[in-house]
Amino acid sequence: MSFDLSLIAEALPKMLVGIGLTFQLLILSAILGLILAIGLMLMRISGKWYLSWPAQVYIYVFRGTPILVQIFIVYYGFPQLDFIRDSFLWPIFRDPFGCAIVALTLNTGAYVSEILRGGVLGVDRGVLEAGEALGLSKPQRFIYLTTPIATRLALPAYGNDIISLLKSTALASTITLMDMTGIARTIVAQTYAPYEIFISLAIIYMILTFFIQKLLARIERYLGRYAEREG
Amino acid sequence: MTSPEPLIQMLEVGKHFGTFQALKGINLNVSKGERIVVCGPSGSGKSTMIRCINRLEKHDQGRIIIDGIELTDDLKDLNAVRREVGMVFQSFNLFPHMTILNNLMLAQKLVRKTPKAEARDVAMHYLERVKIPEQAGKYPIQLSGGQQQRVAIARALCMKPEVMLFDEPTSALDPEMINEVLEVMVDLARDGMTMICVTHEMGFARSVADRVIFMDTGEIVEEAEPETFFNAPRNERTKLFLSQILKH
Amino acid sequence: MEVLTGWWDDFFWGSVVVLKVFLASLVLMVLFGLVGAAAKLSNNRIAQKIAGAYTVIFRGTPEILVILLLYFGSAITLTAIAQIFDPEVKFLDVPPFWAGTIAIALIVGSYATETFRGAFLGVKPGSIEAARALGMSNLQTFIYVRIPEMWRLALPAFGNHMLSLIKDTALISIIGLNETLFVAKQAIGSTGKPFTMYIVVGLIYLGFSTVITLTVMALERYGQRTLRTGT
């Protein structure tokens, strides 16, 4: 049970092959999740019960259940339903990659919509009133005032959610996908060297987390340049 | 006043927040070029009254007519009215994410549909008028409170309004910045702008106002020329209020 | 719902396992969080560094990886030690219950570290100075002023940590803990109804989440009330 460095040297390139899949899962579900989140948030703040109520139920269900269960329902569960097998969406649900994207998107969308809502509610009412007094219409106020200010307010929490999403992509390995974690689990099953493999993989994830944080801090600085007194 | 029809007409206007009656039976006519100062204790309805004039609040009794257009739920009329009425807030309410110049240009482009170059010229013209053209490229937070409020006045003026409403424009300012804002307002009054100012700056009221209005518990209690208002107030509540405010 | 006949008992006992893991990990999570926060706030630079590394590692690594590492890592270590005494031993592991409980407590504890630290720093110096001025000792100030204010500040985030814990219990099924997701897998094996079974699991978790959310809401109301009446 010594720590075998040559094993790491051998396993690292193999695991890094899966980084492409990890990135695909992360980026695709982040983008789709954001679109879903914007829709849910708009429904939630619409002030119409028949829009806000379903959005609220959706958010409640997806935030109240484990993402692993959501992934299993989509991947193992949906094929039990005839209407899904017969629908044009079947090619997506037959494919583990499609299922992972669907589950991650549905999950992150629920969390991000609440983050966006927090940003929108955080916009100073006085600023919106000033826009109203100047004659800006409701959509104009939303596009030119609420959206940019809320984006800035929501960004730190959004960054945390992106990191959560990165960590959730590792669960794709439970439905046969060979992302970095999937490959690592295969190697451990063969070599029985959990320390070497899992620790080096953990370090890779930490490095990715670090770069995501750096990138978001940079975006935050750029969007928040108006919030600094010196400039 | 000789003008046949007042620019602003308020007839028996009332306003409720829930069961609380914020305004009752307000009758007020303001002619073109008139300068009105509104004062009164907090909660007297003075802010609510001027917010009703550009419909940031909806009145629920009586009628309000601005330049011949009655304020109703008809959206088209509302936008026409808001173009006529400029508003300056206590807390400036500049758009924090835009430079000063863009603060002044946004509504011109979106509401007046002014071409960009022209909007920029108009913006710079009014920034010069409030004496801070050099701040055009900065963000609001980089300016002092007095400067921000002057920008807010310039922003409203860019829309070329017929009337300017001021809702306690100097209450949120440090004492040393109050004068620079008042100077801009005096300047504006001299040029013949129609103004309704909610303020407790009694010096400003004395030197600029055509009429001073005192409000309490949602009603206009007293209405007089400044000379009469300050020297010979008739109502007891006015006297009490003046004695309190002039002690400071 | 006929397919569920015969499985209700198993799901019930699976839920009991979820509850047990939750309660055990809750205690550990609070412990890790408090120790982590104390270390971060201490003047000891080594303690600060260790606590800093702890939060970076467990917030940047996928949950599933922590669980796999702790379980297989401890198993291989235990087995090696056991073989020193008895070469006949093939495999010895830390029970999945404890490996999993410790893993999720470590993960969520790293988030709780920041929550507790923030709450501790969020207590207004004025209240503490006032207590000192009244002649209260350090310990009395801590117990009667700091702790009550602190928990009120920490409660909303702490509620989210509890929700994370309950949802993370699902991940422990991966190393063979017989909780609800594990029960569902067996039920699917004999009934062939994955959608039905996983939906049942989802509903069980939704129930747990609801109870936690309502409890936190009640506690928050209680905290607000003491704040208002000053008792």
Side-chain angles (χ1 to χ4, degrees), chain B residues 70-132:
Chain B
E70 174 152 12
L71 294 187
T72 59
D73 282 330
D74 187 347
L75 198 85
K76 245 190 173 170
D77 283 355
L78 182 59
N79 282 339
V81 167
R82 285 201 173 133
R83 260 180 274 152
E84 306 273 309
V85 181
M87 176 126 182
V88 175
F89 299 87
Q90 180 177 349
S91 49
F92 331 137
N93 294 346
L94 295 181
F95 307 138
H97 59 300
M98 293 181 179
T99 60
I100 300 306
L101 190 63
N102 285 332
N103 259 277
L104 270 64
M105 288 167 65
L106 183 73
Q108 291 189 63
K109 288 190 288 187
L110 294 179
V111 181
R112 286 244 182 241
K113 312 286 179 206
T114 314
K116 200 174 171 185
E118 194 188 326
R120 180 187 298 267
D121 291 343
V122 172
M124 287 313 294
H125 170 75
Y126 284 107
L127 275 183
E128 263 158 45
R129 185 140 180 211
V130 299
K131 300 185 192 74
I132 35 176

Side-chain angles (χ1 to χ4, degrees), chain A residues 16 18-20 29 37 43 52 96 124 171 173 182-183 189 205-206:
Chain A
L16 283 172
I19 204 170
S29 47
M43 287 167 75
S52 78
D124 182 3
L171 295 176
S173 66
I183 295 169
Y205 276 108
M206 271 182 259

